[in-house]
Amino acid sequence: MDVKIEGSWKKRLSEEFEQPYFQELTDFIRQEYTTRQIFPPGKLIFHAFEQSPFDRTKVVILGQDPYHGPGQAHGLCFSVPDGIEQPPSLQNIFKEIEQDLGISTPSSGNLERWATQGVLLLNATLTVQANRAGSHQNRGWERFTDRVIRLLSEEKEHLVFILWGSFAQKKGDFIDRGKHLVLTSPHPSPLSSYRGFFGNQHFSKTNDYLKQHGLEPIQW
């Protein structure tokens, strides 16, 4: 099956694309885009992979669903395009960066500048119906993104995996802690951010780890 995805990822995921579950997922997604309003736009489903090729990925931030409001989702978890109001979780992420590193909150919530530095901004589910959070869960995306995480864990070393909230932490259970740094805390959502997200210092800890292993730190 010919899936339009960045070359270094396509090379590693080609066998996955031939699996029956992925064909079923593809058929479902095509039907959804034909009959409903689905986010992100179809050409941006694999945007995270385009922005952060396998060979350049050094940090993984794991989200759950794409944003389901108009104009918000563009294929990168927690990110919104230029000109779109920053959602509450993203506002809290920027607050923690300011507290941790002294970097002022930017006017745009577009995190492509992180992705192009090797931060894979991966949602567990890559599509969603408009205004229906979780509507594309349990259709096959989770199996696909588990495979992505497993490939990174097995084939690379000295990655930083950032897992916010119980969903991300459970999904990342199998990551090899002997080869990689796994950072966990409550989710940046306003419902949980004051239970330990604020003050987690994940951004400085990420950069310290990267520098310890001779890698360029992220300009957050």
Side-chain angles (χ1 to χ4, degrees):
M1 181 176 191
D2 186 27
V3 176
K4 293 181 180 178
I5 193 171
E6 188 276 332
S8 65
W9 285 107
K10 188 168 188 174
K11 176 182 175 182
R12 287 168 176 84
L13 291 166
S14 57
E15 291 185 11
E16 202 71 13
F17 296 144
E18 300 303 323
Q19 297 294 319
Y21 89 88
F22 197 86
Q23 181 64 62
E24 292 175 11
L25 170 63
T26 301
D27 292 344
F28 167 73
I29 295 300
R30 283 177 179 152
Q31 179 69 14
E32 286 286 278
Y33 273 95
T34 302
T35 58
R36 303 176 187 272
Q37 186 177 21
I38 304 299
F39 299 129
K43 64 181 180 181
L44 296 178
I45 292 174
F46 296 113
H47 192 45
F49 300 90
E50 299 294 336
Q51 295 289 303
S52 184
F54 183 91
D55 302 323
R56 292 181 52 206
T57 295
K58 50 190 177 182
V59 180
V60 181
I61 298 179
L62 188 59
Q64 189 165 357
D65 260 5
Y67 295 124
H68 54 79
Q72 292 180 307
H74 67 140
L76 307 176
C77 74
F78 294 106
S79 179
V80 291
D82 296 329
I84 299 296
E85 183 179 355
Q86 297 173 11
S89 290
L90 182 56
Q91 293 178 29
N92 285 339
I93 289 169
F94 286 143
K95 286 178 184 176
E96 174 56 25
I97 290 173
E98 183 164 11
Q99 182 177 319
D100 187 14
L101 296 172
I103 299 171
S104 299
T105 296
S107 57
S108 174
N110 190 334
L111 303 182
E112 287 181 342
R113 58 194 175 83
W114 294 3
T116 56
Q117 296 178 74
V119 181
L120 180 66
L121 296 164
L122 181 67
N123 276 314
T125 302
L126 299 188
T127 55
V128 70
Q129 288 180 16
N131 305 313
R132 286 193 62 199
S135 49
H136 283 182
Q137 291 178 3
N138 303 315
R139 291 286 185 167
W141 279 132
E142 294 91 344
R143 178 171 168 181
F144 172 73
T145 51
D146 277 353
R147 180 61 181 155
V148 169
I149 296 166
R150 197 174 295 279
L151 281 168
L152 288 164
S153 178
E154 291 176 355
E155 294 192 19
K156 294 178 75 79
E157 58 182 17
H158 308 316
L159 294 178
V160 182
F161 289 88
I162 298 177
L163 310 178
W164 295 324
S166 58
F167 175 87
Q169 289 159 29
K170 184 177 180 181
K171 189 172 178 69
D173 270 349
F174 59 80
I175 295 167
D176 186 344
R177 267 77 170 165
K179 293 169 58 181
H180 308 289
L181 176 64
V182 178
L183 298 174
T184 64
S185 82
H187 195 275
S189 160
L191 298 174
S192 56
S193 55
Y194 287 95
R195 298 178 193 157
F197 175 79
F198 289 128
N200 67 23
Q201 298 182 321
H202 281 181
F203 304 96
S204 60
K205 288 175 180 176
T206 293
N207 281 352
D208 288 346
Y209 182 83
L210 293 175
K211 286 186 283 188
Q212 286 169 14
H213 293 92
L215 299 168
E216 193 72 21
I218 304 300
Q219 298 299 314
W220 299 107

